[in-house]
Structures are given as C-alpha cells and as structure tokens.
Amino acid sequence: MKHIFTQDKAIVITGPQGCGKTQLAKVIADSLGGSVVVSMAVLSGTFNTGWAFATTVVVEEFNPWLSEQLATAKGLASSGELIVCEKGKADSLTKKPNFIFVTGDARPLPVTNTCRRFMVIDIS
C-alpha cells in the first residue's frame, strides 16, 4: 500500500453502511505507521497539530458528490505540504500525511480507478 501514497494519490473506500470501511482504513493506516480519524466536515486549508504530524489521516463522512469536498480531497491528495497552525506560533509547512477517505454512499463515485488522484476500493 505504501507505493500508492508515493504517487500523490489518496485512497477512497466505498461500500454500504456497516460493512467495515472505516475499520479497513484504520488497518491500512496503522500498517503505515499510525493514524488519526477525522470527519470531512473539519477539514480546511490549514491543519492543526493534532493531525498534521500523523502518518495517515482517515477521513470519514466524505461526500464526493459535493464539489467542495471533492475539490478539498483532490487538493489534499496532490499537495506535497500542508500549512500547520499552532496556537501562539506562526503558521508553518509540513510534509502532508497520507489520506484515506471513507464514503458510505452506494452510488458510483464521480471519480474512477483511472482518476490520477484516487485509488478507489469498493468493498460492497
């Protein structure tokens, strides 16, 4: 799995609710050195130190049909560095972590396995 992330890609895991998507994401992330789980709703252009130094960030509640979420995910997948905000310190840049996005919608994704930013794993 490590080679996927060296290609500026993120993983998107799809499947029905309760089938183990987040658990699979955590297993993959832990095999790469650890993880932090966050909701898509909390992602923005800057990262707090709680996630910025994680090896892998598992993002739950990803809705790729919302154009702003898809754009955020593509940007995070392709970015080499992230802006980190630490309270009382100037913003700094750090190497981006790996990203695994989890979506529970059963519709086909608006991204495909050939999309250059994502590797899609469907566990339906």
Side-chain angles (χ1 to χ4, degrees):
M1 283 287 176
K2 190 176 269 190
H3 73 283
I4 292 167
F5 296 112
T6 60
Q7 301 169 2
D8 287 334
K9 287 191 178 221
I11 294 175
V12 177
I13 300 176
T14 66
Q17 189 173 15
C19 71
K21 298 177 300 291
T22 301
Q23 186 62 36
L24 174 61
K26 289 178 185 176
V27 168
I28 293 169
D30 289 343
S31 75
L32 297 170
S35 65
V36 173
V37 179
V38 299
S39 167
M40 187 68 194
V42 302
L43 291 181
S44 66
T46 58
F47 273 57
N48 70 35
T49 55
W51 333 318
F53 302 111
T55 304
T56 305
V57 177
V58 175
V59 183
E60 297 181 306
E61 302 169 13
F62 173 52
N63 185 344
W65 295 273
L66 295 176
S67 59
E68 60 275 357
Q69 286 194 14
L70 184 58
T72 296
K74 285 181 178 180
L76 292 171
S78 63
S79 166
E81 295 181 316
L82 295 175
I83 300 170
V84 179
C85 296
E86 293 185 74
K87 190 173 184 173
K89 295 184 180 182
D91 292 354
S92 61
L93 291 176
T94 187
K95 181 182 180 291
K96 81 168 181 79
N98 304 312
F99 285 92
I100 302 175
F101 296 91
V102 178
T103 182
D105 199 309
R107 295 178 287 174
L109 288 177
V111 297
T112 65
N113 279 327
T114 59
C115 177
R116 61 188 183 115
R117 298 284 181 238
F118 303 106
M119 179 182 137
V120 179
I121 300 172
D122 183 3
I123 59 172
S124 311

